[in-house]
């Protein structure tokens, strides 16, 4: 394999007194030289991936499964429902009824939408590219015209839910950047319709961390921290903010109900309990639903009820509470699978106006997303039926980790095809038994997918997450090895038919796996990956992530631990499996230089015959705001590499 040449440089970084050679530092820059090298790498990757394959046939397979991709749910206000329909935003009398066009979004990607409580004004976040950076636009619902005077600030993402309207519809709070996206400094803003935007001085500490304002008639709550939110400050409308749960290390994620904050918490309950906290007195906690065998995840206000989402050995369960916290029923789900939910608990608090029915998306590993509605005491209503069903079965099993802990996994497929392990295991984000179109396409091509529930994820509660957090991050990597070795030992896979893929922090997991245990894999496919922990310290956004989840970059001991976990630093000459690294040129989270530097170093170190390929896609970000056509192209090439590497035939 003849790769585009990548020169090396004599650069040594000094990080907290630890000297770290960085021979491919030049690939961090967005110069014409780097862009040309990146283009040549992409051309090489495409030519190798599709050599001997019918590209249109692979694309058709991807499109067939992509038709069942997760939908955006409609939002409710003043008796009407607002949703995206094609490139338009429409309003209708029912969630998916005939709609009237309010606005067209021919350019850009919709990040979020939020109608005012009175239904007269629609706020939307529009991202002009794949970066997730979006700005607020306001529309008059009755006339369908765009209103002037929208806030000029840029929102880094949709993680704080977009905007939080006042109950009187006179204005809204939002969380946005105070400077350039690269600086990654954020603050709470308030916008009064017709009067402009001001900074809201909420006492929330670090300005990089996310904050969402929950605005009620009698109380306002500042929910702080994206992965483990707490109500850090409260106030009566118009009064000064006062600190609330400022020193709470656990999660307290809930909603204002009268004069109480009703929340799911893992404080003194690793699997979660539901509590009511007096908004007058933060020490006054009352248990409503005690900790049990399931993992409690979130609450959603619906009319006079609260819907409690839970994980029962990763499968969804939903119980219904009245406003006093009494369990009054259980939601009849359409199968054993998963509800659609944001990655992070903070985003899940941005529910907008409480709707009269619980509208949710649901899927299983073998059936695509459907949308359903439910009212307490009524039967389940199908609003949009699933469109894709795989000819496959779902099996559950477990591997035993090196410390004796069982690591569950699901196998999705039919027969004894080649196996793709897919995992994440980080940031308290749960990997759930749901439909994912790219994985479904691999199953449809004859493969078997293993969903590995590694420690570090949110599937089994707080203890499961913290077992692979910060100084224990390496536990995730040993869990992954245990799953791979169990698949081989039980005859479900062989190293020449076993592949691995994951994205973002899961891409880092892939990088560690292929550099430390290359013998286990036929192919490894990191996507939108974090691969250089030391370089990440120089990026304000990644520095924020590393300090939360990995350690202190100012501590030499932590820096040395970073070195033992950073794939870019782990590359040594050797024989590696086939590798396909996929990234986005405008990814603001895991910037493309992670992929560039790692691929260059790995290409130079490869002593075997398997290809080391890199494709950085233009107009692609971290995924949330990547346009549909680009996403299909990414999935097509990713799937083609798997088909080629594992000997599948379509």
């Amino acid at each position: 394999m003849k790769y585009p040449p990548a020169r090396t440089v004599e650069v040594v970084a000094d990080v907290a007194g630890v000297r770290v050679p960085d021979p491919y530092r030049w690939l961090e820059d967005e110069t014409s030289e780097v862009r040309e090298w990146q283009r040549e790498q992409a051309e090489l990757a495409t030519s190798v991936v599709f050599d001997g394959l019918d590209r249109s046939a692979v694309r058709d397979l991807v499109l067939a499964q992509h038709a069942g991709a997760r939908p955006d749910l409609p939002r409710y206000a003043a008796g009407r429902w607002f949703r995206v329909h094609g490139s338009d935003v429409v309003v209708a009398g029912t969630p998916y009824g005939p709609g009237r066009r309010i606005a067209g979004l021919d350019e850009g990607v919709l990040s979020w939408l939020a109608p005012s409580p009175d239904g007269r004004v629609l706020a939307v976040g529009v991202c002009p590219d794949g970066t997730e950076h979006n700005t607020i636009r306001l529309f008059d619902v009755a006339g369908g015209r765009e209103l002037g005077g929208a806030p000029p600030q840029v929102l880094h993402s949709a993680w704080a839910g977009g905007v939080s309207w006042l109950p009187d519809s006179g204005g809204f709070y939002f969380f946005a950047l105070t400077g350039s996206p690269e600086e990654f400094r954020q603050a709470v803003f308030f916008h009064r319709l017709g009067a402009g935007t001001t900074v809201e001085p909420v006492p929330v500490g670090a300005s990089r961390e996310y904050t969402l304002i929950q605005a009620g008639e009698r109380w306002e709550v500042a929910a702080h921290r994206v992965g483990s939110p707490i109500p850090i400050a409260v106030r009566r409308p118009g009064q000064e903010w006062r600190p609330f749960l400022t020193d709470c290390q656990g999660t307290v994620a809930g909603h204002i109900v009268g004069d109480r904050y009703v929340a799911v918490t893992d404080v003194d309950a690793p699997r979660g309990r539901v509590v009511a906290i007096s908004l007058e007195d933060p020490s006054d906690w009352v248990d409503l639903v005690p900790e049990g065998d399931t993992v409690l995840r979130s609450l959603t206000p619906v009319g006079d009820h609260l819907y409690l989402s839970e994980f029962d050995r990763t499968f969804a369960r939903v119980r219904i509470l009245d406003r006093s916290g009494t369990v009054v029923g259980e939601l009849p789900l359409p199968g054993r699978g998963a509800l659609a939910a944001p990655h992070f608990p903070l985003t899940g608090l941005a529910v907008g106006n409480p709707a009269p029915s619980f509208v949710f998306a649901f899927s299983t590993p073998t059936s695509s997303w459907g949308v359903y509605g439910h009212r307490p005491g009524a039967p389940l209503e199908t609003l949009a039926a699933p469109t894709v069903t795989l000819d496959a079965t779902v099996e559950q099993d477990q591997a035993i980790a090196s410390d004796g802990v069982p690591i569950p996994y699901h196998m999705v497929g039919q027969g004894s095809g080649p196996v793709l392990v897919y995992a994440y295991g980080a940031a308290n984000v749960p990997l759930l038994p749901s439909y994912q179109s790219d994985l479904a396409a691999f199953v449809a091509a004859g493969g078997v997918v293993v969903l590995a529930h590694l420690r570090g994820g949110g599937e089994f509660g707080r203890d499961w997450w913290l077992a692979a957090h910060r100084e224990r991050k390496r536990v995730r990597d040993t869990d992954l090895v245990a799953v791979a070795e169990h698949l081989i030992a039980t005859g479900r896979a062989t190293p020449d038919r076993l592949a691995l893929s994951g994205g973002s922090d899961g891409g880092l997991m892939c990088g560690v796996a292929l550099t430390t245990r290359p013998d286990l894999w036929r192919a490894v496919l990191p996507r939108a990956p974090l691969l250089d922990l030391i370089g990440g310290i120089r990026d304000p956004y990644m520095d924020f992530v590393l300090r939360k989840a990995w350690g202190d970059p100012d501590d030499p001991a932590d820096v040395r631990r970073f070195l033992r976990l950073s794939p870019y630093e782990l590359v040594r000459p050797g024989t590696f499996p086939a590798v396909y690294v996929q990234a986005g040129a405008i990814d603001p989270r895991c910037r493309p230089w992670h992929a560039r530097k790692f691929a260059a170093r790995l290409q130079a170190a490869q002593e075997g015959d398997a290809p080391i390929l890199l494709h950085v896609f233009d107009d692609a970000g971290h995924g949330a705001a990547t346009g549909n056509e680009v996403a299909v192209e990414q999935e097509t090439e990713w799937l083609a590499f798997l088909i080629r590497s594992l000997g599948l035939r379509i």
Side-chain angles (χ1 to χ4, degrees):
M1 184 69 61
K2 185 177 181 181
Y3 299 108
R7 59 185 174 86
T8 58
V9 293
E10 296 294 329
V11 173
V12 178
D14 187 313
V15 186
V18 179
R19 293 176 58 80
V20 183
D22 192 356
Y24 296 96
R25 171 75 74 86
W26 66 278
L27 285 169
E28 291 187 16
D29 300 325
E30 295 296 335
T31 64
S32 58
E33 179 190 13
V34 169
R35 286 192 291 272
E36 176 61 19
W37 182 87
Q38 180 173 284
R39 184 189 63 77
E40 292 176 359
Q41 290 280 356
E43 290 178 351
L44 174 64
T46 300
S47 66
V48 171
V49 164
F50 291 109
D51 183 26
L53 281 181
D54 183 341
R55 183 171 186 163
S56 61
V58 180
R59 179 181 170 87
D60 287 345
L61 185 60
V62 167
L63 287 171
Q65 312 308 316
H66 204 76
R70 176 173 161 177
D72 293 320
L73 293 177
R75 303 300 290 263
Y76 176 83
R80 295 178 293 178
W81 295 85
F82 298 77
R83 73 177 193 275
V84 176
H85 182 70
S87 61
D88 293 334
V89 179
V90 301
V91 60
T94 58
Y96 288 95
R100 175 175 58 82
R101 181 180 184 273
I102 299 172
L105 301 171
D106 296 328
E107 296 183 3
V109 176
L110 184 72
S111 296
W112 52 266
L113 60 84
S116 62
D118 63 11
R120 295 182 178 182
V121 177
L122 177 67
V124 300
V126 179
C127 174
D129 49 31
T131 61
E132 299 178 48
H133 304 147
N134 64 94
T135 53
I136 299 169
R137 295 172 64 181
L138 302 174
F139 293 90
D140 172 61
V141 173
R145 63 184 178 87
E146 186 164 1
L147 301 174
Q153 286 79 14
V154 174
L155 284 63
H156 190 264
S157 64
W159 285 4
V163 306
S164 301
W165 283 94
L166 295 181
D168 67 3
S169 301
F172 50 78
Y173 296 98
F174 64 100
F175 196 63
L177 296 164
T178 58
S180 71
E182 291 72 25
E183 294 169 331
F184 190 59
R185 294 286 179 180
Q186 305 185 96
V188 174
F189 292 84
F190 176 71
H191 180 79
R192 172 73 65 178
L193 295 183
T197 303
T198 58
V199 174
E200 182 65 30
V202 183
V204 295
S207 63
R208 285 179 177 173
E209 183 58 271
Y210 284 80
T211 302
L212 185 156
I213 303 298
Q214 298 170 287
E217 294 278 359
R218 300 169 59 182
W219 291 94
E220 294 177 348
V221 172
H224 185 60
R225 298 194 312 230
V226 66
S228 56
I230 57 172
I232 198 170
V234 301
R235 73 175 179 184
R236 298 277 190 180
Q239 297 183 8
E240 294 294 319
W241 290 98
R242 59 179 174 84
F244 201 61
L245 300 183
T246 57
D247 60 351
C248 180
Q249 297 304 307
T251 296
V252 183
H255 302 276
I256 302 165
V257 179
D259 291 322
R260 303 192 299 178
Y261 194 69
V262 179
V264 171
T265 181
D266 57 16
V267 175
D268 299 325
R271 290 183 299 278
R273 58 185 171 124
V274 178
V275 298
I277 307 171
S278 168
L279 289 167
E280 294 282 5
D281 180 2
S283 67
D284 182 5
W285 292 42
V286 176
D287 276 341
L288 301 180
V289 179
E291 182 181 27
D293 293 333
T294 60
V295 174
L296 308 189
R297 186 65 178 181
S298 65
L299 285 165
T300 302
V302 178
D304 293 327
H305 293 81
L306 295 163
Y307 280 63
L308 174 60
S309 177
E310 311 170 39
F311 303 149
D312 181 2
R313 289 167 295 177
T314 74
F315 290 102
R317 179 191 184 193
V318 181
R319 285 185 283 175
I320 305 168
L321 318 179
D322 63 21
R323 289 301 176 105
S324 71
T326 302
V327 177
V328 296
E330 184 164 337
L331 176 65
L333 293 172
R336 282 174 60 79
L339 269 67
H343 287 301
F344 297 111
L346 181 75
T347 316
L349 302 183
V351 296
N353 310 293
S357 60
F358 183 49
V359 175
F360 65 98
F362 179 88
S363 74
T364 75
T366 60
S367 60
S368 65
W369 293 96
V371 182
Y372 306 87
H374 185 261
R375 296 174 186 251
L380 188 68
E381 180 184 6
T382 300
L383 304 176
T387 58
V388 178
T389 301
L390 292 175
D391 180 17
T393 60
V394 180
E395 299 179 23
Q396 294 176 262
D397 206 338
Q398 62 184 24
I400 304 300
S402 57
D403 58 359
V405 173
I407 309 300
Y409 63 83
H410 291 88
M411 292 192 70
V412 185
Q414 192 69 267
S416 56
V419 174
L420 170 66
V421 177
Y422 184 83
Y424 187 70
N428 197 24
V429 173
L431 175 65
L432 299 177
S434 62
Y435 180 88
Q436 189 169 315
S437 61
D438 51 356
L439 302 183
F442 179 72
V443 173
V448 176
V449 167
V450 169
L451 300 173
H453 303 289
L454 313 180
R455 280 175 285 184
E459 299 96 317
F460 297 102
R462 182 176 177 83
D463 288 350
W464 192 260
W465 163 38
L466 295 181
H469 185 60
R470 291 182 70 83
E471 67 275 4
R472 294 180 290 276
K473 288 286 281 188
R474 190 57 187 262
V475 169
R476 174 185 62 178
D477 303 316
T478 59
D479 284 357
L480 174 65
V481 169
V483 170
E485 290 182 336
H486 184 262
L487 292 168
I488 294 169
T490 56
R492 292 179 170 92
T494 56
D496 64 336
R497 302 189 82 201
L498 183 61
L500 172 67
S501 190
S504 193
D505 202 328
L508 185 143
M509 172 200 72
C510 291
V512 172
L514 75 90
T515 53
T516 60
R517 288 300 306 272
D519 56 302
L520 286 176
W521 317 102
R522 175 70 174 186
V524 180
L525 299 87
R527 304 180 76 180
L530 164 63
L531 291 165
D532 179 4
L533 295 180
I534 301 300
I537 297 170
R538 296 188 292 274
D539 173 17
Y541 174 80
M542 192 52 66
D543 177 77
F544 160 74
V545 172
L546 294 174
R547 290 179 187 276
K548 284 171 64 71
W550 290 83
D552 183 358
D554 300 319
D555 183 337
D558 278 4
V559 171
R560 285 189 284 271
R561 182 164 53 80
F562 286 7
L563 287 171
R564 296 192 294 271
L565 296 170
S566 177
Y568 175 64
E569 308 300 338
L570 291 172
V571 175
R572 299 288 185 275
T575 300
F576 298 100
V579 176
Y580 173 75
V581 186
Q582 189 178 89
I586 49 178
D587 188 337
R589 302 191 186 282
C590 298
R591 298 186 184 277
W593 54 259
H594 285 273
R596 292 193 295 247
K597 292 173 66 179
F598 179 74
R601 202 169 203 174
L602 197 64
Q603 287 172 351
Q606 174 67 297
E607 295 177 344
D609 297 328
I612 309 296
L613 304 177
L614 167 69
H615 193 152
V616 179
F617 280 76
D618 295 332
D619 302 319
H622 204 59
T626 299
N628 184 69
E629 284 302 312
V630 177
V632 168
E633 290 304 313
Q634 288 181 305
E635 291 183 17
T636 299
E637 195 162 291
W638 174 87
L639 179 61
F641 182 77
L642 279 168
I643 292 171
R644 182 184 186 278
S645 299
L646 299 175
L648 284 167
R649 297 183 181 277
I650 58 170

